[in-house]
């Protein structure tokens, strides 16, 4: 059985992530979405909130071979523990390439039995980034085109809690 891990922060999960999940689930028998619980990125949502959001998106996609698991370990250690032979990553533009290339290269040396596979989201979804979704929402912009309605409601609610920026 081929098991793949798709790791990320998912703060919050976007339509770009959902598209990668949908594509990735076709390539492996079991897809584990690894939601990092590492607080170093100063996320807007707690690990549990992010996992709930991802679980909801997976339910919307009606995929039955996808599971959401939190992790706070070296990615290769997590992947090995899950019995994965493939790491899935999404590639957006040139900006992602250098970081992803370096990480895949180092991970290859850490564990040569696990391959990193890059997927491209649908062209229209490629520019979407969680960081920008948060920035747009913090300044009162409309994020409808970038996240699902449920995630949009969560982000808007969180922005109201922490306070909007700008005038
Ligand atoms: P990280 O914190 O590791 O950047 P993210 O949650 O931002 O994690 O993203 C997880 C993965 O999803 C990364 O491989 C990232 O490149 C990919 N990804 C995010 N948004 C998109 C998108 N719009 N299209 C394709 N891949 C994406």
């Amino acid at each position: 059985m081929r098991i793949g891990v798709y790791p990320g922060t998912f703060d919050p999960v976007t339509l770009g992530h959902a598209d990668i999940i949908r594509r990735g689930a076709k390539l492996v028998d079991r897809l584990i979405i690894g939601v990092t619980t590492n607080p170093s990125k100063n996320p807007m949502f707690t690990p549990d909130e992010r996992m709930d959001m991802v679980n909801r998106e997976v339910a919307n996609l009606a995929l039955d071979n996808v599971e959401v698991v939190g992790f706070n370990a070296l990615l290769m250690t997590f992947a090995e523990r899950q019995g994965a032979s493939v790491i899935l990553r999404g590639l957006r533009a040139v900006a992602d390439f250098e970081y992803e290339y370096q990480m895949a290269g180092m991970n290859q040396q850490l564990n040569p039995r696990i391959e990193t596979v890059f997927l491209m989201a649908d062209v229209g979804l490629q520019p979407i980034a969680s960081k920008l979704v948060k920035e747009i929402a913090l300044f009162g912009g409309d994020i409808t085109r970038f996240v699902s309605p449920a995630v949009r409601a969560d982000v808007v609610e969180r922005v109201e809690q922490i306070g909007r920026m700008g005038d």
Side-chain angles (χ1 to χ4, degrees):
M1 181 157 90
R2 190 183 299 282
I3 300 175
V5 165
Y6 175 37
T9 313
F10 305 103
D11 184 50
V13 62
T14 67
L15 298 182
H17 292 128
D19 195 49
I20 297 292
I21 294 169
R22 184 181 62 77
R23 288 168 194 273
K26 291 192 284 194
L27 299 180
V28 292
D29 300 305
R30 208 167 137 236
L31 179 62
I32 293 159
I33 305 177
V35 177
T36 172
T37 59
N38 184 338
S40 73
K41 286 197 172 171
N42 203 6
M44 177 180 260
F45 294 96
T46 67
D48 282 344
E49 288 169 337
R50 284 182 274 129
M51 285 174 64
D52 284 349
M53 284 191 253
V54 177
N55 264 315
R56 221 171 35 200
E57 299 304 295
V58 170
N60 279 343
L61 291 168
L63 299 168
D64 56 9
N65 64 335
V66 179
E67 196 188 328
V68 181
V69 179
F71 78 104
N72 184 14
L74 196 60
L75 172 58
M76 287 322 232
T77 309
F78 173 67
E80 192 143 21
R81 276 188 202 140
Q82 297 294 326
S85 54
V86 179
I87 304 280
L88 292 178
R89 293 288 287 176
L91 256 196
R92 279 164 292 199
V94 203
D96 275 345
F97 183 76
E98 193 165 340
Y99 172 69
E100 294 289 344
Y101 172 83
Q102 220 173 355
M103 200 164 69
M106 292 186 76
N107 280 336
Q108 204 178 58
Q109 300 198 31
L110 287 175
N111 189 335
R113 294 181 303 281
I114 300 183
E115 295 295 341
T116 303
V117 173
F118 295 103
L119 297 177
M120 268 168 57
D122 185 88
V123 177
L125 302 173
Q126 279 182 29
I128 303 174
S130 300
K131 186 167 175 267
L132 295 178
V133 165
K134 285 181 284 190
E135 272 179 34
I136 293 169
L138 278 168
F139 283 96
D142 182 11
I143 55 169
T144 308
R145 297 169 69 118
F146 312 130
V147 294
S148 71
V151 170
R152 178 176 171 271
D154 288 340
V155 174
V156 168
E157 190 189 327
R158 184 55 42 95
V159 167
E160 271 161 21
Q161 283 165 1
I162 58 185
R164 245 210 233 168
M165 299 172 50
D167 4 79

